[in-house]
Amino acid sequence: MRRLMRDESGSALLAAIVLMLVMLGVGLAVAAMSDTQEQQATTERIRESSFGFAEATLNAQVTRLNRTWPSSAPTAFPAECTPTADTVTGCPDAATLTSSFEGVDNGVTTCAGAPPVWRSTVRDNGGAVATYYRSSGAAAQPSYDFNKDGLVWVR
């Protein structure tokens, strides 16, 4: 009986199994971390592309303002510009915007493959929104330069 207790021939196998489990755990942890990093990179890419698309929409709206300044009620911009209102004078061209940002890498298509949804508005900077933009105060402002100071809010 004492001879069997002194025999250590199975200890190498036990040590190998424990070491193998430790290495497997470390490997799984590294694989999980790698997958998380890939998901975060994808999310960041889509957010950056969406930000670029929003900036392009605002730039297109500002370009329309530069071509035709809304200085009176007859030249007022629409209350709201959307992708479906691109034929209205003063709204950015939705087809041009969307074609500039197509594809999965740009992140501007929804799961159903529909074009992105956006909305832009032009409001006078007078009244309750003279100093800074507030949605509640801007809604009541006209969509042209009512106070004739050469400034409007583009959102």
Side-chain angles (χ1 to χ4, degrees):
M1 183 75 129
R2 286 187 180 256
R3 187 178 60 83
L4 289 177
M5 290 171 65
R6 289 186 198 161
D7 187 14
E8 298 178 3
S9 61
S11 63
L13 180 62
L14 183 63
I17 289 174
V18 169
L19 187 60
M20 188 78 92
L21 287 174
V22 169
M23 290 189 320
L24 181 64
V26 169
L28 288 174
V30 168
M33 187 177 72
S34 172
D35 187 46
T36 301
Q37 293 294 322
E38 183 180 346
Q39 290 173 353
Q40 288 176 346
T42 300
T43 301
E44 182 179 358
R45 186 189 76 230
I46 290 172
R47 285 180 181 169
E48 289 295 324
S49 296
S50 297
F51 179 78
F53 185 78
E55 189 174 25
T57 302
L58 288 176
N59 286 339
Q61 185 68 65
V62 169
T63 300
R64 295 287 180 147
L65 281 168
N66 285 334
R67 290 184 185 154
T68 309
W69 185 253
S71 58
S72 62
T75 61
F77 274 59
E80 182 177 271
C81 289
T82 62
T84 57
D86 65 343
T87 57
V88 178
T89 304
C91 288
D93 181 29
T96 303
L97 282 171
T98 304
S99 67
S100 300
F101 286 89
E102 285 181 338
V104 176
D105 285 340
N106 287 316
V108 296
T109 55
T110 61
C111 293
V117 177
W118 54 269
R119 177 177 51 176
S120 67
T121 58
V122 175
R123 295 287 183 259
D124 185 47
N125 68 323
V129 290
T131 309
Y132 61 93
Y133 188 91
R134 283 191 307 254
S135 297
S136 59
Q141 292 298 105
S143 59
Y144 64 94
D145 189 13
F146 180 75
N147 60 4
K148 307 278 191 254
D149 66 349
L151 301 171
V152 291
W153 292 104
V154 179
R155 179 174 186 238

